[in-house]
Amino acid sequence: MQVSITVNGNQRTDEVEPRLLLAHYLREVRGLRATNIGCDTTSCGACTVIVDGLSVKSCTVLAAQADGAEVTTLEGLAAADGELHPVQSAFREEHGLQCGFCTPGMVMAAIGLLADNPDPTDREVREGLEGNLCRCTGYHNIVRAVRTAAKAGAAAGRVPQGRVEA
């Protein structure tokens, strides 16, 4: 079947298997490796991307379901001049990563969270990111990074904003 999906501003039509997951489409068909696959069950959140303004776990969305959609991955966040998105900058400044495997999903989930709640408390950040797992940290720096991004006005960033979807 054919799907036409705009990814990071680049629209393209591709022939895909009807059962192909969006996560695999992004990695294998479009060559975007930041969308990590950790569980295929929505448990870890490493595959989180923005689809039509909503933060979604791409391991349980079929590419066919994204036909006609606009998808943003971590690769699409930075400006053309290389300036990082405010959430990316905050994760770097606050050391909100260690091995980096969960980082793309955490960043994308944080963007969705901040779209709904531009000034979350620590507790609200923890609750908003509870579907994204990090096996390396105690989440303190991740929470601090999201709060720093909120203070920097990340909700007004360059990505279509929306509510968080599991």
Side-chain angles (χ1 to χ4, degrees):
M1 77 176 302
Q2 282 193 336
V3 294
S4 181
I5 303 173
T6 301
V7 180
N8 300 331
N10 299 311
Q11 192 278 331
R12 194 168 101 185
T13 301
D14 294 292
E15 190 71 28
V16 299
E17 290 290 324
R19 66 181 183 267
L20 183 69
L21 293 172
L22 180 58
H24 293 287
Y25 170 79
L26 294 169
R27 291 180 61 79
E28 297 163 14
V29 177
R30 297 300 284 264
L32 301 168
R33 302 290 188 201
T35 303
N36 290 319
I37 300 167
C39 68
D40 281 333
T41 63
T42 73
S43 296
C44 75
C47 66
T48 303
V49 297
I50 306 293
V51 178
D52 288 337
L54 302 176
S55 172
V56 300
K57 294 177 181 177
S58 64
C59 73
T60 56
V61 175
L62 296 172
Q65 291 173 290
D67 187 32
E70 290 191 30
V71 177
T72 304
T73 68
L74 187 76
E75 292 96 339
L77 290 182
D81 66 2
E83 179 185 352
L84 295 178
H85 184 280
V87 175
Q88 290 175 300
S89 292
F91 268 71
R92 184 173 68 186
E93 290 168 22
E94 299 294 345
H95 308 286
L97 55 96
Q98 281 194 347
C99 81
F101 188 80
C102 72
T103 305
M106 286 284 186
V107 168
M108 302 311 283
I111 288 170
L113 169 67
L114 293 173
D116 277 351
N117 183 352
D119 189 24
T121 64
D122 284 1
R123 181 176 183 202
E124 290 168 331
V125 171
R126 289 179 185 279
E127 289 172 358
L129 298 180
E130 70 183 355
N132 290 71
L133 302 178
C134 176
R135 291 173 172 91
C136 297
T137 72
Y139 298 93
H140 300 295
N141 291 350
I142 293 168
V143 172
R144 192 167 40 248
V146 175
R147 297 283 311 273
T148 297
K151 290 180 182 124
R158 294 178 291 275
V159 175
Q161 304 297 308
R163 59 188 172 84
V164 176
E165 288 288 322

